[in-house]
Amino acid sequence: MTRATNNAGSSDSGAFPLTAEHADLAAAIMARAYGDERVAATPWSAAGILGSLSARYGFGLGIGAPLHGFLLARQLGTDAELLAIAIDQNERRRGYGQILLSAMMA
């Protein structure tokens, strides 16, 4: 398992490393995808996303410019654990989730 290394947000065709600069956009996507009330009770607010990204083994991948979707994961040796994935409602059914998961497993 390796982390994707494409340029951040430069194209819709590849995943890129999610950074702290993406936290607010990612939280907004999560809120739209799952409803504000549900997200408020989960760790996937902007602060929660930042926490996951800064955790020792945590990482995130994004896709699209501006951000169309993202995933958060933890690297556990040669394995990875998917913590969260969300695609903006207006960008679904375009294969972005599959691209993100494939990049996570590459």
Side-chain angles (χ1 to χ4, degrees), residues 7-51:
N7 292 330
S10 63
S11 121
D12 289 346
S13 63
F16 56 84
L18 201 69
T19 66
E21 291 78 29
H22 299 109
D24 288 333
L25 285 172
I29 289 170
M30 183 66 80
R32 287 191 300 272
Y34 295 103
D36 291 323
E37 299 81 27
R38 182 174 168 184
V39 173
T42 72
W44 306 122
S45 62
I49 290 166
L50 285 170

Side-chain angles (χ1 to χ4, degrees), residues 91-104:
E91 302 296 337
R92 292 184 181 167
R93 314 282 303 157
R94 298 179 186 184
Y96 294 141
Q98 182 176 356
I99 292 168
L100 288 168
L101 289 171
S102 294
M104 184 185 98

Side-chain angles (χ1 to χ4, degrees), residues 1 10 17 33 42 58 69 75-76 81 84 91:
M1 207 263 8
S10 63
T42 72
Q75 189 169 350
L76 305 167
E81 176 184 17
E91 302 296 337

